[in-house]
Amino acid sequence: MGSKKQTLTGARILWECLEREGVKTVFGYPGGAILPAYDALQHSSIRHILVRHEQGATHMADGYARATGSVGVAVATSGPGATNMVTGIATAMMDSSPILCITGQVGSKLLGSDAFQETDITGVTLPITKHNYLVTRPDDIAPAVREALYVAKSGRPGPVLIDITKDAQQGTCELDFEGAAPKMRGYRPDLSPASDAYDKALAMIAAAKKPVILAGHGIAVSGAEREVQAFAERACIPVAMTLLGLGHLPASHVLNMGMMGMHGEAWVNKAIQEADLLLALGMRFDDRVTGNLKSYAPNAKKIHIDIDPAEINKNVKVDLALVGDLRKILLELLPRVAPASRSEWIERIHELKGDTAVRDIQNLPDNGHLYAAHVINDLWHETRGRDAIVVTDVGQHQMWEAQYYKHENPRSLITSGGLGTMGFALPAAIGAKVARPDADVWVVAGDGGFQMTMAEMATIVQENLKVNIAIINNGFLGMVRQWQEFFYERNYEATPLLNPNFAMLAQAYGIKSEVVKHRGDVVPAVRAARAHEGPALIDFQVEQEDTVYPMVAAGAALHDMIRRPSPIVETAEDE
Amino acid sequence: MLHTFVVYVENKPGVLSRVVSLFRRRAFNIDSLTVGRTEKDDVSRMTIVTEADPDQARRIVANIYKLVNVLLVDDITGQPALLRDLSLIKVGATQETRSQVLDLANVFKARVLDIATESITVEMTGGEEKVDRFLELLNPYGLLEVVRTGVVAMRRGAKSPTVGSKAELTPASAEESDSVSHSV
Ligand SMILES: Cc1cc2nc3c(=O)[nH]c(=O)nc-3n(C[C@H](O)[C@H](O)[C@H](O)COP(=O)(O)OP(=O)(O)OC[C@H]3O[C@@H](n4cnc5c(N)ncnc54)[C@H](O)[C@@H]3O)c2cc1C
Ligand SMILES: Cc1ncc(C[n+]2csc(CCOP(=O)(O)OP(=O)(O)O)c2C)c(N)n1
Ligand SMILES: [Mg+2]
């Protein structure tokens, strides 16, 4: 084989390895300690996207990863550049998103001396990375890059950081790409269940009268969308989705009940509470999903299929665990699972559904009130069936999106679930658009969170990216206001927002914009935005004190939900 | 109950802090932790003693395995094993009490390292309980200074986990020792 080895600088080796590993784009921001790498970029075909804040770079890498499943790459300088990445790294860690962060570091001789812009970023990110590396010699760059990409992507994915000293970037050595292939002695991302676990699982499923599948993010990670659907259909098991599971089974599928948890559908939570078997597929029983653990699904036996043994029995004690890759495990189970019909249980679920469907406000007449539910509903109608990706921020609008946008396709919703990072949406959408240029990418952000990273509007324009932005503008830090409404006697301390004129702001960046205050204008505005060649922003000025229903209060049982006082029509017509 | 884990890790910078950081952030407490070299240059070995119920212990093992530099975790709790803790103990001893202290040291097979006018310093190696009992008996004489290394541990018998090539990275006794297998 071609054993001709080139002598290159560490900086060139960095790009060369990334390129050979298939990385096409990186998101970054330069500075002194990473300058050698930036200088070497001229020899590489990798596209560099200049961000406006390093947090943005990490969320972009994250959005890129979530849109494709491939590792997203972010680059920053030492010190403040590196620390600005912390929020994005923690976000990716919580949601098992594979990103690689590359930071410059002061020269190896200066390490530990409090040199200018020195931060111990491997120390800082130790608990929020899957793994990290401090590289002080050019020879170690290739193995670190190749291993880092492998670690980020394999097993349960997560963020990995490589901190490279300036002298390691500047020094030279021979590049031995093949020789730098990962040789890991301990790391084992490829566990599989004990063989008798399959039989036990099949027996439990066969014995169940009221089973529910809990479908999570692990489905997408594993690429098990088809297997989950086939399995649910064959065994006739209704499916409840986590927030990060949405889309991995089409919302319109007869067995798809919708979202579970704190702001999930009431009937879904009731079905879980009534179930005699829960089959958790690549989900981690987050506390937003279970409500009070003491009263969680008291009658159900539980089977947990997850690739991470540390998730087993962490929050919910299970009766059987199958540790390994979901798709592989389902492929074992599929041919052996007994076909079933479970008509009684399916009927029971329809009953539960009928009981709660009245809370739906999306079909309400306008009456001068624009509800976020209207906006999301109409956005869904206008963009469905196309290759649309909705990237949401964090707050009420995020939950309304989850409730009213019916996701038919995997990786069509990108949202920060575990960390709940405000400011995620706009940069993550940029990453998604770069990864899937033909997709119709929509940001759905609150007026609060949007302002946390809105500087990235400049990135959109500079990089000529067609990203559409819908601001759900309620003049409040709405989700916090909602908690104040329920649990703090409506003391709206520090939640009202005096906002800038978002439409004018967008124009200042060179982004087409529009303000919408009435339902009738929603669809035309969405159409106009889509038709527009460049990026577009719509400022949807919605009902200010609307509330996300239903809701399981913190500490309450899952079926104990606060419901929308109905009929909502009265409140809408009163004023 | 107290669990004892023997953890084999790659001998690389920062590995100790990764393990310690893991225990801290997962709110697992550490009773004692020792780290040292092994028969292989590139492998270090930790003995970690921690308070945990069986289920917690299993999760601790699973979490330690998530650290990329960890080669093998062996939960030797309840297994036939040698557990040793080394202590240096400086105890008050006047002319009147000196012989009593020396007698105790003799009985417990502690080595006398230093005798001064007001004190005796001994070195004691043994299982934790033995050291505890010794300290209890010395207490009335006045414990001036005590340092304990924490436990190091090793399974009894020839059967030891082999930590070499990747292929060998299966625990020696996967069938018996449920805690090192990943199926639950
Ligand atoms: C304001 C707000 C409100 C929220 N409300 C809700 C709510 O009402 N309902 C809700 O569901 N969520 C809600 N969330 C999100 C919640 O906090 C969690 O992020 C979410 O429930 C996690 O979903 P998950 O377990 O599917 O995904 P993750 O947290 O990403 O977990 C994925 C799991 O899959 C496993 N896995 C990964 N790869 C594989 C593989 N190849 N094979 C097998 N397993 C694999 C992982 O080990 C992990 O256990 C809310 C978040 C916010 C910010
Ligand atoms: C970085 C960050 N800071 C604070 C919070 C706490 N928080 C959660 S939701 C929310 C309000 C979000 O307001 P907005 O962006 O306007 O969205 P809305 O809820 O009104 O739809 C806040 C402050 C957070 N999740 N992230
Ligand atoms: Mg708001």
Side-chain angles (χ1 to χ4, degrees), chain A residues 385-432:
Chain A
R386 308 171 214 269
D387 187 14
I389 303 176
V390 182
V391 187
T392 66
D393 217 74
V394 170
Q396 291 186 311
H397 64 280
Q398 179 188 27
M399 292 298 107
W400 284 315
E401 197 282 343
Q403 295 178 336
Y404 296 108
Y405 197 106
K406 303 298 173 193
H407 287 276
E408 293 295 311
N409 300 307
R411 302 186 189 280
S412 66
L413 167 62
I414 294 176
T415 192
S416 165
L419 204 67
T421 307
M422 285 172 71
F424 174 79
L426 178 60
I430 294 175

